[in-house]
Amino acid sequence: MTGAAGGPELTEQAGAGEPDAFVRLWTPHRMAYIKGEGKPAGTSECPFCRAPALSDEDGLVLARGERVYAVLNLYPYNSGHLMVVPYRHVADYTELTAGECGELAAFTQRAMATVRAVSGAQGFNIGMNQGSVAGAGIAAHLHQHVVPRWGGDTNFMPVVGHTKVLPQLLADTRALLAEAWPAPVG
């Protein structure tokens, strides 16, 4: 249904509580995610523990360091969305050693430089979700997201259409970023 301005019609929805001015976008498919269905329970099931044992191409690994590695996100928010992950299976940022923290920071800097060089990213969202209640999809293994951003990269498709438009296959993105990844300094 559409209203006079072409947008959704504001109607009372049975069982939705008190009528108000909000339009509700129902996403029942997210309930499986909220309940934790299909999430790894232990290190043998952890995709961040498995990825380094695979070839770079099969694991979507961009670069490997001594203590951390960079890997593409299987479910990216934008093209080039990658994560910096410690090899060690730890859940909380406070559990990292000083060496792991340092290399994680250096890899984040290299990730930003690489994505900018390859795709002209205009900005980044960088962060970690600590714990499942904070939104961590895989809370048992720490990982830092590096999400490239461009002006106008968010539109109605993911919000209304539950569709993310990505102009490049993950394997092609991995090849471009891995090739451009700068060597460690020093």
Side-chain angles (χ1 to χ4, degrees):
M1 289 184 167
T2 58
E9 184 176 343
L10 299 178
T11 60
E12 280 190 48
Q13 297 175 2
E18 294 296 318
D20 56 28
F22 292 100
V23 175
R24 273 123 181 117
L25 180 62
W26 301 101
T27 57
H29 61 279
R30 301 236 340 123
M31 190 52 68
Y33 173 82
I34 292 166
K35 289 181 176 180
E37 294 172 16
K39 291 185 183 177
T43 57
S44 64
E45 299 172 1
C46 177
F48 297 132
C49 290
R50 277 195 319 265
L54 301 172
S55 70
D56 288 354
E57 291 78 12
D58 290 341
L60 297 175
V61 174
L62 302 169
R64 297 171 188 262
E66 187 178 321
R67 297 174 182 95
V68 304
Y69 67 98
V71 62
L72 283 182
N73 191 316
L74 274 178
Y75 306 102
Y77 296 129
N78 279 333
S79 290
H81 177 175
L82 63 94
M83 295 168 291
V84 180
V85 185
Y87 290 111
R88 198 163 58 92
H89 187 86
V90 297
D92 197 86
Y93 187 67
T94 61
E95 297 176 52
L96 293 180
T97 66
E100 287 168 329
C101 282
E103 193 171 47
L104 187 128
F107 258 60
T108 300
Q109 288 178 322
R110 280 187 255 162
M112 292 173 66
T114 302
V115 173
R116 269 194 196 116
V118 169
S119 67
Q122 297 169 318
F124 291 89
N125 291 115
I126 296 174
M128 299 177 210
N129 298 326
Q130 295 285 272
S132 57
V133 298
I138 300 172
H141 197 135
L142 178 82
H143 53 285
Q144 178 167 268
H145 293 266
V146 178
V147 182
R149 300 300 306 269
W150 297 267
D153 65 7
T154 300
N155 58 35
F156 74 95
M157 291 296 288
V159 175
V160 175
H162 192 63
T163 302
K164 192 66 179 169
V165 179
L166 300 167
Q168 192 171 53
L169 297 174
L170 288 174
D172 296 338
T173 301
R174 193 216 69 81
L176 283 171
L177 293 175
E179 183 180 321
W181 194 271
V185 178

